[in-house]
Structure formats: C-alpha cells, structure tokens
Amino acid sequence: MDAISATPAVPGRSLFRLANPGRFMRLSGRVLPVLIALGLGFTAVGLVWGMFFSPADWQQGDAVRIMYVHVPAAWVSSAGYVGLAACSAISLIWRHPLADLAAVEIGPVGAGATAICLITGSLWGEPMWGTWWVWDARLTSVLVLFFLYLGHMALVRAFDEPERGYRAGAILALIGAVDLPIIKFSVDWWNTLHQPDTITVTGAPTMYVGMLWPLLFAALGFSFGFGAIVTARLRAAVMERRLRGLLLARAEESLAS
Amino acid sequence: MTNLPYIVASYAVTLVIAGGFSLGAWIRLKHARRQLAAVDPRGRWQ
C-alpha cells in the first residue's frame, strides 16, 4: 500500500488528522465548492469594479487599472511560497505525506501566479517607465521567486524515488524563503524604479479608497482562487496515488497467485 | 481610456493563465475520479 494510505491518524493532533486521506478528501470536498464560489465572486467584483468603476490615476491615467491584476498576483505568489515553505518544513520535520503532495501541487500554481505578476508588471512598466524590464531589486527578486518555483518543480520530479525528490525540494524551498523578505523590503533597502508599498500591515494605506476596495476584493478573490486550484490539484493527486496503490496491489496479487 | 492595449493584455494574460490552471485542475480531478471509480467501486473518495 502506498505511503499516504498507510499513514495512521494520530488522535488529538489536528495536523496529523489530515494525514488520513479519507478525512482529507471528505473535508476538502466540502471546502472546495466554497473556495471556488468565493474566488469567482470576489475576483469578478474586484476586476469589474477596478476596470470600469474605479477612478483613473491623476499621473498614470487608466494604466493604473493593471494594478487590480498585478498586485493581487504579486501577493498570491509570495503567499503561495510561504505555503510551499510551510509544507516543506512540515514535510522535513514530521514526514507528513500530504505536505509533500501539497508542496508539489503548490509549485506550478505559484509559478503561474508569479508569471502573471511579472508579465502584467512588464505591461504596466512599458507605458509608465518607458521600458518592459529593468534589473532593479524588486523586479529581480520576483524573477528569482519565479525561478525558485521552477527549480522546486524540477527538483521534486528529478529522482526515481519520489521521497528523495520531496526532501530535496523541501530543502530548496526552505532556503529559497530568504527571497521573501528581500522582495518585501527591496523597495525600502534599495533605490528602485518600482514604487514603494502603498499598503502596509501597520500603517494606513496611501491609496484613494475608491481604488483600495476593488484591489482588496481582487486580492481576496485571487487568494481564494489560488486555494481552490491547489485544493483541486491536491485532491486529484491523492486520488492518483490511491489509484497507483490499488493497481500495484492488484498486480502483486496476480503475480503471487 | 488611455493605454487600453496594455490594460487589455494584462487582463487577458491573467485570464488565460488562471483559466488554464483552473481548467487543468478540473480535468485532472475529473479524470482521476473516473479512473478511481473504475478500479475502486466502493468510491468512498469520490
């Protein structure tokens, strides 16, 4: 039987309760439709509001509307990497089998979000800065994040023994987490063409409220959407692993008889 | 609306990439569910 099916649930430890695939599938089956609905709803409201009903910027004109896809994609790409690093830590410390699978499934989706961030940033930079790309600290550190995602995707698939791939990928993901504070503080630590943060956790936002609300709606929508895609992929991965386990068991039975 | 091509391209890129991932996940889930149902008739995970 495969590792994920054989993992016993440890009572009283909520993290390990999800190691039981049946429990995870039941729980995720209930959560997934909610995530899809929230993701679609918030994204639709945020993007329509941002595209048609929010004001243009006095300096940037309508190009500021790119913000409603660029900024949520940037937040989600960093948050996704936090998730990847957390799964990697759980995988290395507790050998949690679902954490391995979650890390594998977060990688491509995070890379996709980072690609959206980089491409839309480039499309915003050309009319505003007069260039598609500059090697400033913010842009370069986000490009490094994109390569970290790609590196993780390649590494977890590079070994014949999946467990070795998961370990190597987890180590890379944890080392790569050092890029996250660099992304966050790059606009403060260095002189960058990229503007400083207009929304911070501690301070009041320096953005007009008519732009802030659609941005927050879009960011919530992207976050729920990211969660929905990862959950759907993870459910598929658990089913695929269960299927492989069943087929292997049948093959062994038929060989033995 | 100023800079319309850049705005439209940004939203289109986002829709294509996010839509591609969503569609891919949905197809993979459907495929896995169907295959598992064929092998495991109890179907407790579907």
Side-chain angles (χ1 to χ4, degrees):
Chain A
M1 190 177 281
D2 54 307
I4 201 161
S5 306
T7 305
V10 181
R13 296 174 70 177
S14 57
L15 180 68
F16 286 91
R17 288 170 68 86
L18 283 175
N20 180 313
R23 189 174 290 131
F24 167 77
M25 292 302 280
R26 278 194 300 277
L27 180 66
S28 63
R30 285 197 292 267
V31 168
L32 184 58
V34 179
L35 286 175
I36 293 171
L38 290 174
L40 286 175
F42 275 110
T43 303
V45 171
L47 294 190
V48 170
W49 191 349
M51 185 74 173
F52 300 108
F53 301 105
S54 71
D57 186 73
W58 70 280
Q59 271 185 320
Q60 301 188 30
D62 288 302
V64 77
R65 297 183 200 285
I66 296 173
M67 170 179 72
Y68 302 110
V69 289
H70 172 74
V71 174
W75 286 347
V76 163
S77 60
S78 287
Y81 199 88
V82 171
L84 178 61
C87 288
S88 300
I90 292 167
S91 161
L92 286 175
I93 297 166
W94 291 294
R95 302 287 163 124
H96 195 300
L98 263 179
D100 289 328
L101 282 188
V104 170
E105 300 307 330
I106 287 171
V109 189
T114 315
I116 292 174
C117 171
L118 287 168
I119 296 169
T120 56
S122 197
L123 285 161
W124 197 0
E126 167 60 19
M128 292 301 104
W129 301 337
T131 181
W132 298 99
W133 181 262
V134 284
W135 291 100
D136 88 352
R138 172 58 70 87
L139 277 68
T140 307
S141 53
V142 174
L143 185 65
V144 169
L145 181 72
F146 181 62
F147 289 137
L148 280 168
Y149 274 124
L150 294 186
H152 182 269
M153 286 163 60
L155 201 53
V156 293
R157 291 165 177 82
F159 295 87
D160 289 334
E161 242 181 282
E163 295 300 319
R164 290 181 65 194
Y166 297 150
R167 297 287 91 75
I171 291 166
L172 173 72
L174 285 176
I175 293 170
V178 77
D179 191 40
L180 294 175
I182 296 177
I183 292 173
K184 171 78 180 83
F185 297 109
S186 56
V187 287
D188 304 320
W189 291 343
W190 293 285
N191 279 324
T192 56
L193 193 53
H194 193 284
Q195 68 181 64
D197 292 334
T198 48
I199 300 171
T200 57
V201 178
T202 50
T206 56
M207 184 185 289
Y208 173 59
V209 72
M211 294 173 171
L212 183 63
W213 277 110
L215 178 62
L216 292 178
F217 268 73
L220 272 175
F222 274 47
S223 304
F224 286 123
F226 187 91
I229 293 171
V230 170
T231 305
R233 289 174 63 99
L234 190 51
R235 280 175 64 79
V238 171
M239 284 187 201
E240 287 160 2
R241 195 175 261 213
R242 168 78 175 160
L243 184 67
R244 272 198 302 276
L246 287 171
L247 291 175
L248 261 175
R250 281 190 186 179
E252 280 168 9
E253 273 173 27
S254 62
L255 277 175
S257 60
Chain B
M1 196 177 273
T2 56
N3 299 305
L4 190 60
Y6 296 100
I7 300 168
V8 170
S10 295
Y11 281 67
V13 162
T14 304
L15 283 178
V16 166
I17 294 178
F21 272 105
S22 306
L23 192 64
W26 181 68
I27 290 170
R28 190 176 155 198
L29 196 54
K30 203 173 144 188
H31 185 67
R33 192 177 285 147
R34 197 170 48 230
Q35 279 195 316
L36 192 56
V39 175
D40 182 15
R42 287 175 301 169
R44 65 192 172 93
W45 282 10
Q46 287 109 64

